[in-house]
């Protein structure tokens, strides 16, 4: 180090994190899966700025969200803030562009958001959300489709043991009104949203701090929890129907939940994966109808990995046009934390499956052509950059998670053959090295199933 120069400690801010290749490879794979699933339902991609005018974001998610905003004055003296989710910017986007795009507008967006909350496992101050929304319709078909997309997305990621917990803000609003607590609806629902994290005693305390009597808070919580503890969705609906009897808003919510569950049963979703849960409230103030939270059976303490709901009035803040919406968001970094906990993130640090060893400088151009031909046939291939001993190179390949190693030395080039080593099984075989590398590709494809990009074995053999 130069004399007098101060060394800076390499570190990241609290609540932020670096992503090493194993985690980053899984993140990118999940994002690719999300795009594929969203597109399969007809959702189109958009993007919005990371920075918005403060007035666009402030007051949309509640007091707690406002406190978590990263806000500052820019060089022009304007108050701006980093987006805390992708839904509020989408509402602004829809109000600005809906005349051009028309309704219903189905969009997906994958982007980074920021919240200055207390970091913990699965919760960071900078994280990626994978959103999808339908805006411009109040019909329940959009709510039903939202549940189907959540299900298909989590299933496509490869997670089998999960439950989508569904409730309705209309039911909760109706219950609040039946108990005469409508003036305290916001603090009641904010407190209920914390039930799974802090337990019923702290929820009761928070309600009492908001000016709700202990008896009324206890009655509300008892009704919600007792309904949630019923054995089946049908029994939960019956309990909710009785609880909101005579209240039109609550009854509408119960009817919508009944229709939604019937549709998901018709779609043959497993009952273990879909559960009504009257304790689900969602903490953001803009929700008005159906709400969703998705939990992994083996990591419930991580919290919901895919959440959302219906927001019928959010866009009204930016336009006179009625633009009701519904959607959900996959919390990528929370999901990754759960997968790390469950040992579902492999140690693989390379996206490539094929490793080409390089240990004869005379044949560098041959190695380069071989790697290029294999890439043209659809394989991800890395050519080692230095002519080191083969043992060192194979150790490198094994440590980084390559599936196949191609070994061709002077003797092999002279004989017109290549050695193909399955690094997982430790099995090695010899194959003819033709100019187009098709025989080589055929053997690799048999080892690395599905890695040939649109190349069938029949094509390779022809």
């Amino acid at each position: 180090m130069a004399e007098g120069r101060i060394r800076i400690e390499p570190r990241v801010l609290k609540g932020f994190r670096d992503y090493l290749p194993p985690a980053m490879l899984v993140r990118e794979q999940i994002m690719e899966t999300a795009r594929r699933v969203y597109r399969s339902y007809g959702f189109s991609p958009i993007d919005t700025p990371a920075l918005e005018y403060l007035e666009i974001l402030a007051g949309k998610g509640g007091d707690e969200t406002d406190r978590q905003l990263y806000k500052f004055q820019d060089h022009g003296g304007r108050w701006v803030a980093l987006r805390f989710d992708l839904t509020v910017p989408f509402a602004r986007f829809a109000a600005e562009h809906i005349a051009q795009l028309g309704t219903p507008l189905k969009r997906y967006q994958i982007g980074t958001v920021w919240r200055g909350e207390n970091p913990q496992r699965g919760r960071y101050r900078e994280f990626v959300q994978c959103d999808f929304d339908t805006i411009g319709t109040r019909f329940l078909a959009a709510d039903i489709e939202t549940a189907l997309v959540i299900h298909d997305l989590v299933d496509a990621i490869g997670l089998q043991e999960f439950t989508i917990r569904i409730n309705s803000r209309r039911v909760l609003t109706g219950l609040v009104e039946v108990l005469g607590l409508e003036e305290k609806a916001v603090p009641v629902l904010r407190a209920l949203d914390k039930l799974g994290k802090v337990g019923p005693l702290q929820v009761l305390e928070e309600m009492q701090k908001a000016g709700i009597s202990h008896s009324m808070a206890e009655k509300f919580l008892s009704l919600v929890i007792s309904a949630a503890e019923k054995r089946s969705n049908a029994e939960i609906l019956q309990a909710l129907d009785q609880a909101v009897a005579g209240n039109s808003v609550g009854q509408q919510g119960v009817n919508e939940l009944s229709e939604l569950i019937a549709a998901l049963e018709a779609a043959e979703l497993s009952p273990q994966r879909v559960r009504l849960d009257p304790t689900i409230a969602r903490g953001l103030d803009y929700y008005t109808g159906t709400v969703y939270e998705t939990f992994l059976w083996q990591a419930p303490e991580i919290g919901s990995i895919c959440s959302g709901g219906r927001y019928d009035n959010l866009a009204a803040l930016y336009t006179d046009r009625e633009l009701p919406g519904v959607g959900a968001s996959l919390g990528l970094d929370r999901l990754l934390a759960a997968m790390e906990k469950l040992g579902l993130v492999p140690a693989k640090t390379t996206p490539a499956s094929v490793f080409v060893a390089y240990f004869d400088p005379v044949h560098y151009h041959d190695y380069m052509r071989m790697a290029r031909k294999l890439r043209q046939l659809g394989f991800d291939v890395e050519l080692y950059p230095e002519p080191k001993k083969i043992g060192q190179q194979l150790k490198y390949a094994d440590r980084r998670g390559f599936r196949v190693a191609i070994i061709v030395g002077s003797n092999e080039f002279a004989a017109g053959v290549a050695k193909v080593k399955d690094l997982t099984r430790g099995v090695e075989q010899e194959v003819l090295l033709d100019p187009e590398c098709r025989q080589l590709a055929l053997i690799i494809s048999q080892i690395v199933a599905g890695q040939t990009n649109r190349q069938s074995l029949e094509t390779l053999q022809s």
Side-chain angles (χ1 to χ4, degrees), residues 60-66 68 84-85 115 123 169 172 185-195 197 206 279-287 291-293 307-309:
K60 310 307 183 297
D63 296 339
E64 186 174 356
T65 302
D66 283 352
Q68 294 172 356
F84 66 87
D85 74 358
R115 296 180 190 177
R123 287 181 176 270
R169 277 291 191 100
L172 293 175
V186 171
V188 165
L189 298 187
R190 285 181 187 169
L192 178 63
D193 181 59
K194 301 174 183 178
L195 180 62
K197 305 169 192 173
E206 186 164 332
T279 68
I280 298 297
R282 302 294 297 138
L284 298 174
D285 289 350
Y286 53 67
Y287 290 117
V291 286
Y292 317 82
E293 292 192 350
S307 310

Side-chain angles (χ1 to χ4, degrees), residues 48-57 79-83 89 92:
T48 58
L51 274 180
E52 297 271 4
Y53 283 104
L54 179 59
E55 64 185 17
I56 296 291
L57 303 179
W79 277 100
V80 297
L82 288 166
R83 61 192 182 198
R92 187 271 307 156

